[in-house]
Amino acid sequence: MARKKQFKAESKRLLDLMINSIYTHKEIFLRELISNASDAIDKLYYQSLSENDSAVDRSAFKIHLDIDKENRALVISDNGIGMDKEELEENLGTIAKSGSLAFKEGLSEEEKKDEAVDIIGQFGVGFYSAFMVASRVEVLSKKYGSDTAYEWSSDAVDGYTIEEAQKDSCGTTITLYLKDNTDDDNYDEYLQQYEIERLVKKYSDYIRFPIEMMMETQKRVDEETPEGEEKPAEPKYETVLELKTLNSMIPLWKRNKSEITKEEYNEFYQDKFNDFHEPQRVIHTSVEGAVSFSTLMFIPGKAPYNYYQQDYKKGLQLYSRGVFIMDNAEELIPEHFRFVKGLVDSQDLSLNISREMLQHDRQLKVIANRIEKKIKSELLLMLRNEREEYEKFWNNFGLQIKFGVYNDYGMHKDLLQDLLLFYSSKEEKLVTLDEYVARMEEGQEFIYFMSGDKIENIDQMPTVKKVKDKGYEILYLTDNVDEFALQVLGSFKDKKFKNISQGDLNLDSEEEKKELEKKAEENKDLLGGIKEALGEKVKEVKISSRLVDDPVCLSSDDGMSFEMEKVLSAMPEGNPYGMKASRILEINPNHEIFKALQKVYADDANAVKDYAELLYDQALLIEGFPIENPTEFAKKICDFMVKASK
């Protein structure tokens, strides 16, 4: 009987850490053991190439899985380079000793870049993940070129044993004797062929050697029907065992783009990301350099139902040399492009020891920056060359771009401003800021805009007609974030943004200005009486330069607008600080209603109060604000209708 040896390096405590703390999910064990098997095959593959060893049949390399339900065991076998006694001692008896890392460090820089060498492991702890699911692990291995095989065995408690064994061919066979089930963990699931198949597809689908397993399947049995008898209505089936390759081996993103059809991209996207719709755009790139990586990204053809909800998870899938590492790597995709789905495969990313999380390092930032620039570039190309497609994208995800401008105190505004679209009063379609500026009237200082809930409603606003009549283009803003985004932008190509319901528009000629000043002076007592009647409801009552046909409107000073006030008030917590836009009641001096006000005020100055309140409520309704007393408003309307009929 072989003498039991203790693990090196503070073994028991360190092994406990490996088993219980490093890995988040128990199912990771299969990924780690398959990756080790792949590394072993790669080492022999490389050795046979470098030594021109014709005895090695490189076409026969494979990884084989077996389920032994009787002994509650899972077996992982490979025909790679194998290990001798010393290597078993060194690699498995010393925790965190990586044979793969040592192998890679022994290669030249040119050899490391050789695609024939695809070594995955680096930390030397993946093997010990087996003890998360197994109470005992046996490793039978025979090194290539050796006549003797050895078996390493351990229950992870009292160390391990190594003794001579029998094995016909080189390679390694790992047998996991699964733990007993508990109330919290069902280890029997790792004896189910479809669970093993699922784990292989999830984590190891792109290991470049075939991963095989005998699978039970139903096969139809066609029996001859004796003459004169009816053929059975239900066909018969029997359970048979068939050898099945579980992995795809070659990742789609490592194939030449010219060889991949649209249908293949679509199928990959729909299967990988559980989307019934085809992607609108495929972004497939490979980058070589100080940091090398491949990306396969998709812009969805339709926004997911939960896209703007808290439970939506952004991020790209992360692979390292084709081995799945993690879902939703948020660090790789910026928030303003969170709609992009896809993956990154890189051998240069620094992972933590469990290979389940990214380390925050320079390589990560380099990749994330390249991805951001690539997405921006693709969107600009779509905008310039495929306008209809871009507008389709905008309808799905334009709101995200505008949030991106506003978020992080405008940190990304320069990156995103060229992607913005807004509805134009002149073009009656979506336009870019660049297109607006290119059409600006000579001497025009501002980019004019107006906000509202719908384009149709904005177009009917009293303040819009005057600006349109002067020949100026207006951007119609219909999303809550729009004004906040423009406020963050401040300007575009040195042209400031101007809300046409705020401040002085300065659109009148000198003659028109003098005429307004004259009317304001002539009617200052009337305007003062209306202001007195309305009290603190309004900051000011004045003769309007904005109105053409409408009798009255509300405007505000520069700063907070009416739409901003509405957005803040609609928040779940309400408007906690009571922030409001100033309210200025503007009256059209050329409207019949103004003549009526003049007459009423001349006859009885106190009678103007009802008129003032009625006009103010009308102005509130036009702006989309609720009125304080709808019942009183309706009563006054009826009273005026009755008076008018007499």
Side-chain angles (χ1 to χ4, degrees):
M1 185 175 178
R3 182 174 64 86
K4 183 165 286 188
K5 300 182 180 181
Q6 294 299 313
F7 290 109
K8 297 178 183 178
E10 289 244 280
S11 63
K12 184 61 175 74
R13 288 178 62 189
L14 190 53
L15 188 56
D16 285 343
L17 180 66
M18 299 293 124
I19 298 170
N20 300 313
S21 302
I22 288 182
Y23 295 97
T24 309
H25 305 290
K26 287 183 171 62
E27 65 184 29
I28 293 292
F29 83 93
L30 190 60
R31 179 195 73 183
E32 295 297 309
L33 296 180
I34 289 175
S35 295
N36 288 347
S38 176
D39 285 351
I41 296 174
D42 259 314
K43 291 172 188 176
L44 183 55
Y45 187 99
Y46 176 75
Q47 180 176 299
S48 67
L49 286 177
S50 60
E51 298 178 3
N52 197 23
D53 189 348
S54 59
V56 176
D57 183 3
R58 292 187 286 273
S59 65
F61 286 134
K62 63 183 179 181
I63 299 166
H64 191 83
L65 307 179
D66 279 307
I67 294 173
D68 183 355
K69 290 186 178 181
E70 185 177 346
N71 294 305
R72 295 189 75 252
L74 179 66
V75 185
I76 301 98
S77 304
D78 67 71
N79 54 354
I81 198 164
M83 292 176 282
D84 58 23
K85 184 177 181 180
E86 288 72 25
E87 288 169 326
L88 284 168
E89 179 88 44
E90 192 74 9
N91 294 331
L92 305 188
T94 304
I95 300 172
K97 173 72 175 181
S98 172
S100 294
L101 180 60
F103 181 83
K104 286 200 287 187
E105 288 177 343
L107 300 175
S108 68
E109 289 301 315
E110 286 301 313
E111 289 171 332
K112 288 177 182 177
K113 295 177 182 178
D114 192 341
E115 291 191 1
V117 187
D118 199 19
I119 305 299
I120 300 164
Q122 59 179 321
F123 295 111
V125 300
F127 168 77
Y128 300 98
S129 65
F131 289 106
M132 292 192 297
V133 300
S135 58
R136 184 169 187 81
V137 178
E138 294 176 354
V139 181
L140 176 62
S141 192
K142 183 178 183 181
K143 188 167 184 175
Y144 178 74
S146 175
D147 296 326
T148 308
Y150 294 89
E151 185 176 76
W152 181 98
S153 179
S154 176
D155 57 9
V157 177
D158 297 323
Y160 61 94
T161 61
I162 299 178
E163 56 186 348
E164 284 192 21
Q166 293 296 316
K167 193 175 190 306
D168 295 333
S169 58
C170 69
T172 300
T173 298
I174 300 175
T175 303
L176 311 183
Y177 295 96
L178 300 180
K179 294 178 180 179
D180 294 329
N181 296 328
T182 67
D183 292 339
D184 297 325
D185 296 297
N186 177 23
Y187 296 101
D188 282 349
E189 65 181 333
Y190 303 120
L191 298 173
Q192 305 301 317
Q193 62 178 23
Y194 294 109
E195 175 63 9
I196 298 301
E197 184 179 29
R198 182 188 73 82
L199 294 179
V200 170
K201 291 295 290 183
K202 179 177 180 179
Y203 293 104
S204 308
D205 197 33
Y206 306 114
I207 292 289
R208 65 178 183 142
F209 304 108
I211 304 171
E212 300 177 345
M213 186 170 72
M214 296 298 293
M215 299 277 290
E216 289 185 356
T217 185
Q218 296 294 305
K219 187 177 181 181
R220 182 170 175 172
V221 180
D222 290 322
E223 297 181 346
E224 290 188 12
T225 305
E227 193 174 342
E229 294 185 15
E230 290 187 10
K231 194 171 183 178
E234 296 292 330
K236 290 185 177 180
Y237 293 88
E238 64 177 5
T239 300
V240 297
L241 287 173
E242 289 185 352
L243 187 65
K244 183 178 179 180
T245 299
L246 306 182
N247 60 323
S248 306
M249 289 183 278
I250 301 176
L252 189 68
W253 59 90
K254 287 191 176 181
R255 289 169 53 189
N256 193 313
K257 285 191 286 186
S258 62
E259 299 173 354
I260 306 172
T261 64
K262 181 183 176 183
E263 288 72 27
E264 286 179 300
Y265 278 128
N266 291 346
E267 184 181 354
F268 180 90
Y269 167 77
Q270 291 173 315
D271 180 63
K272 201 76 172 173
F273 302 102
N274 300 313
D275 194 343
F276 295 110
H277 305 279
E278 294 181 359
Q280 185 184 4
R281 205 76 168 184
V282 179
I283 306 172
H284 185 180
T285 62
S286 291
V287 177
E288 300 291 335
V291 181
S292 299
F293 62 95
S294 298
T295 63
L296 181 54
M297 300 181 291
F298 304 88
I299 297 175
K302 190 173 182 180
Y305 72 93
N306 65 336
Y307 181 73
Y308 291 105
Q309 298 176 12
Q310 287 186 341
D311 61 345
Y312 181 82
K313 291 184 178 180
K314 73 160 189 171
L316 303 178
Q317 292 184 348
L318 176 67
Y319 288 78
S320 180
R321 293 184 177 271
V323 177
F324 177 76
I325 302 300
M326 64 183 296
D327 255 326
N328 308 119
E330 296 184 1
E331 299 90 338
L332 292 172
I333 200 81
E335 180 66 19
H336 43 272
F337 293 150
R338 70 199 297 262
F339 49 83
V340 173
K341 297 184 178 183
L343 56 89
V344 174
D345 188 355
S346 175
Q347 66 189 51
D348 296 326
L349 279 177
S350 297
L351 307 174
N352 72 350
I353 196 168
S354 68
R355 296 195 292 184
E356 291 181 278
M357 288 189 295
L358 294 166
Q359 305 279 21
H360 295 270
D361 60 4
R362 187 186 65 83
Q363 289 90 348
L364 176 62
K365 292 178 181 177
V366 169
I367 293 175
N369 286 338
R370 293 291 293 269
I371 287 173
E372 181 181 54
K373 290 177 181 177
K374 183 61 180 177
I375 296 171
K376 164 78 181 290
S377 172
E378 286 292 327
L379 290 174
L380 278 179
L381 281 173
M382 197 193 308
L383 173 60
R384 292 164 183 168
N385 303 327
E386 302 173 69
R387 188 57 172 257
E388 287 187 12
E389 281 297 301
Y390 188 80
E391 290 186 12
K392 177 184 172 184
F393 156 78
W394 187 257
N395 289 332
N396 283 324
F397 304 110
L399 193 60
Q400 185 65 57
I401 302 297
K402 290 187 282 192
F403 273 120
V405 172
Y406 174 70
N407 286 341
D408 297 326
Y409 307 99
M411 185 185 300
H412 312 289
K413 65 179 183 180
D414 292 337
L415 175 82
L416 300 174
Q417 61 183 0
D418 294 331
L419 300 174
L420 294 171
L421 292 182
F422 298 101
Y423 185 87
S424 162
S425 64
K426 182 173 286 187
E427 298 295 309
E428 297 186 345
K429 63 181 183 181
L430 293 170
V431 301
T432 67
L433 294 177
D434 195 59
E435 290 166 345
Y436 180 103
V437 171
R439 289 192 296 268
M440 286 178 63
E441 299 288 326
E442 186 177 351
Q444 183 178 338
E445 297 181 40
F446 301 104
I447 299 172
Y448 295 109
F449 71 88
M450 184 66 183
S451 300
D453 57 348
K454 294 179 181 178
I455 288 169
E456 297 80 5
N457 293 345
I458 297 173
D459 202 50
Q460 297 300 314
M461 295 291 285
T463 50
V464 168
K465 186 173 178 60
K466 177 69 173 282
V467 182
K468 288 174 70 174
D469 285 352
K470 290 288 184 178
Y472 295 114
E473 184 174 4
I474 309 169
L475 299 178
Y476 292 175
L477 312 187
T478 56
D479 288 323
N480 289 342
V481 72
D482 286 347
E483 280 200 43
F484 295 93
L486 293 191
Q487 191 175 65
V488 167
L489 278 177
S491 63
F492 180 81
K493 291 189 173 180
D494 297 324
K495 300 293 183 180
K496 292 184 177 180
F497 296 98
K498 179 68 175 176
N499 189 332
I500 63 172
S501 68
Q502 288 187 283
D504 187 1
L505 297 180
N506 200 29
L507 299 179
D508 295 323
S509 65
E510 290 301 317
E511 288 186 7
E512 289 172 326
K513 289 178 182 178
K514 288 179 181 179
E515 182 65 23
L516 283 173
E517 289 173 1
K518 181 182 176 183
K519 289 182 179 180
E521 179 63 26
E522 292 173 348
N523 294 278
K524 66 179 182 180
D525 292 340
L526 170 61
L527 298 174
I530 296 172
K531 171 66 175 76
E532 185 179 353
L534 295 175
E536 297 300 317
K537 292 179 180 177
V538 297
K539 178 184 176 183
E540 185 182 355
V541 179
K542 68 179 188 178
I543 296 293
S544 180
S545 63
R546 303 175 195 271
L547 297 171
V548 179
D549 300 323
D550 298 274
V552 68
C553 74
L554 280 180
S555 65
S556 66
D557 292 325
D558 292 330
M560 178 167 287
S561 70
F562 295 139
E563 286 304 310
M564 287 181 174
E565 179 186 327
K566 293 174 193 174
V567 172
L568 292 175
S569 299
M571 288 182 174
E573 66 275 16
N575 193 340
Y577 302 105
M579 299 175 68
K580 281 189 160 186
S582 59
R583 283 158 168 72
I584 299 170
L585 183 66
E586 298 194 16
I587 303 174
N588 186 352
N590 302 314
H591 197 278
E592 288 295 319
I593 195 69
F594 190 70
K595 295 178 182 177
L597 285 170
Q598 288 175 316
K599 185 176 184 303
V600 169
Y601 189 75
D603 294 341
D604 183 2
N606 293 322
V608 83
K609 182 176 184 295
D610 286 340
Y611 285 83
E613 290 179 347
L614 194 59
L615 287 174
Y616 177 68
D617 284 345
Q618 286 182 331
L620 283 175
L621 290 172
I622 291 170
E623 286 295 335
F625 285 110
I627 56 180
E628 292 181 7
N629 194 333
T631 304
E632 186 66 21
F633 175 77
K635 184 177 179 300
K636 286 176 182 176
I637 291 287
C638 290
D639 290 343
F640 279 109
M641 290 174 68
V642 171
K643 288 179 182 178
S645 67
K646 293 180 179 179

